[in-house]
């Protein structure tokens, strides 16, 4: 399974589309086969889900994500696990071991006043 974790530095980002980069890992059971960093291509609608799809990622982990990103990733067959936080490598290990528990998304676009952002909902 190929997984991507939205990161700010080495910590799980609270927003899928606004993170610095993605930790992309190939998991084989509980073993991690490869790890690479993928730069964030920018927060334009539809761009990041397409990049994730092209990379062959099957699972995305983040603190939160907007509804459009969630919808597009679902259409591409990519599972999202939201509500994650903490050290990205520890979260990756929990994912590989099957112990990562999803939570509530940390993004609430309904409360955004759109100051300094470019999303529309």
């Amino acid at each position: 399974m190929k997984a991507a974790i939205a990161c700010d530095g080495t910590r799980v980002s609270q927003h899928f589309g606004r993170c610095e980069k993605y930790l992309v890992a190939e998991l084989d059971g509980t073993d991690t086969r490869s790890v690479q960093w993928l730069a964030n291509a920018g927060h334009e609608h539809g761009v990041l889900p397409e990049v994730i799809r092209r990379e062959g990622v099957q699972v995305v982990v983040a603190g939160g994500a907007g509804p459009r990103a969630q919808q597009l990733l679902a259409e591409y067959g990519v599972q999202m696990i939201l509500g994650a936080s903490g050290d990205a490598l520890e979260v990756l290990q929990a994912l590989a071991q099957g112990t990562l528990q999803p939570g509530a998304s940390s993004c609430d676009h309904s409360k955004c006043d759109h100051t300094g952002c470019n999303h529309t909902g």
Side-chain angles (χ1 to χ4, degrees), residues 31-43:
D31 295 330
T32 302
R33 296 287 179 208
S34 67
V35 175
Q36 68 181 25
W37 290 105
L38 178 66
N40 185 330
H43 189 262

Side-chain angles (χ1 to χ4, degrees), residues 18-119:
R18 296 190 185 283
C19 68
E20 291 175 11
K21 56 192 171 189
Y22 301 90
L23 174 67
V24 179
E26 183 71 40
L27 303 174
D28 184 8
T30 59
D31 295 330
T32 302
R33 296 287 179 208
S34 67
V35 175
Q36 68 181 25
W37 290 105
L38 178 66
N40 185 330
H43 189 262
E44 291 183 43
H45 289 286
V47 171
L48 291 171
E50 176 61 23
V51 168
I52 294 296
R53 183 196 63 78
R54 279 195 321 255
E55 288 291 322
V57 170
Q58 297 154 304
V59 176
V60 169
V61 179
R68 181 71 176 140
Q70 291 181 50
Q71 176 189 352
L72 286 172
L73 287 168
E75 287 174 10
Y76 294 146
V78 177
Q79 176 189 3
M80 276 206 101
I81 299 174
L82 301 177
S85 63
D87 180 80
L89 290 176
E90 290 175 8
V91 169
L92 178 63
Q93 183 178 27
L95 177 64
Q97 294 174 347
T99 60
L100 182 62
Q101 295 295 316
S105 175
S106 62
C107 294
D108 185 357
H109 285 222
S110 66
K111 294 180 182 175
C112 180
D113 66 3
H114 301 289
T115 303
C117 78
N118 63 359
H119 71 276

